[in-house]
Amino acid sequence: MAVLRRMARRVQGAYRADHGADDPLDAAQERRVRAVLALGGVPQADLPDGVQQVRLRLLERAAGGREAPRDVSAWAAVVASNLAVDWHRAKRRQERIGERLASLRQLEPPSGEDASVLSVAVAQGLDELPAAQRQVVVLRFFADLPVRSIAEELGIPEGTVKSRLHTAVRSLRARLHEDEVV
């Protein structure tokens, strides 16, 4: 972690020199990145490192002379989503469920027992989706990206995004009916 922070400071210094800005992510973008990471299953304790990795990738992009993304907020959300997918590959499912529920509770204040039950059921349903489906659901419904932006950022056709969304929503709906949540 300390190495990551040193690298980020070094690249950030180069970014400041070239662009005259302190931070490539504004507060709203950082909150969105945190939300995408949390909804993607990254534990609360790892969220600062995830945000730092997104920031580092943006700074490296600028330091490498590459053009800034057209929509930094969408780009950062997709990078955060990809980081969450990578995290899932490295951890076993049973180790994450408790941390995931805790991070969801911190993102949204509880609004009654029914909302809590629904949140838990949706979180468990998301956890059971394949990574590609979970990724597009988080980007579409939690990061609020349009289908076109998701397709562009992931480098897949819009039809593929729509198909994954349809299949994922159908699975989540079936899960909620099976559990008699809705």
Side-chain angles (χ1 to χ4, degrees):
M1 283 191 263
V3 172
L4 178 64
R5 288 189 186 104
R6 280 196 302 272
M7 285 175 52
R9 274 188 248 123
R10 201 172 312 132
V11 176
Q12 202 166 14
Y15 181 84
R16 273 190 219 116
D18 291 345
H19 298 90
D22 288 338
D23 193 343
L25 293 178
D26 64 28
Q29 291 165 337
E30 183 173 332
R31 281 192 305 275
R32 188 177 201 184
V33 165
R34 282 179 172 276
V36 169
L37 289 168
L39 290 166
V42 176
Q44 189 72 26
D46 292 343
L47 291 180
D49 288 335
V51 171
Q52 202 63 347
Q53 285 184 23
V54 171
R55 185 175 281 119
L56 179 63
R57 289 184 186 179
L58 185 57
L59 292 170
E60 287 172 337
R61 182 183 178 112
R66 291 179 31 204
E67 193 174 310
R70 186 170 35 93
D71 182 352
V72 173
S73 186
W75 180 90
V78 170
V79 170
S81 177
N82 287 335
L83 288 172
V85 169
D86 291 345
W87 186 87
H88 277 281
R89 289 181 183 140
K91 301 290 181 183
R92 288 182 24 215
R93 180 170 290 167
Q94 293 303 321
E95 295 173 347
R96 311 186 245 91
I97 190 76
E99 294 167 346
R100 181 175 189 163
L101 293 175
S103 69
L104 286 174
R105 275 189 226 110
Q106 290 179 5
L107 285 176
E108 296 179 21
S111 59
E113 189 175 319
D114 290 341
S116 295
V117 169
L118 183 59
S119 293
V120 169
V122 169
Q124 289 173 337
L126 278 172
D127 203 38
E128 292 175 0
L129 291 175
Q133 289 178 10
R134 181 175 47 249
Q135 183 178 34
V136 295
V137 167
V138 168
L139 290 173
R140 177 67 188 105
F141 298 112
F142 296 103
D144 201 27
L145 292 179
V147 170
R148 176 172 283 153
S149 293
I150 296 170
E152 288 173 2
E153 294 297 330
L154 293 178
I156 59 176
E158 285 183 50
T160 302
V161 174
K162 291 176 183 178
S163 172
R164 289 178 185 173
L165 281 171
H166 175 77
T167 304
V169 169
R170 189 177 57 208
S171 295
L172 286 171
R173 188 177 292 127
R175 161 83 189 220
L176 294 175
H177 285 295
E178 282 176 19
D179 294 346
E180 297 179 357
V181 175
V182 289

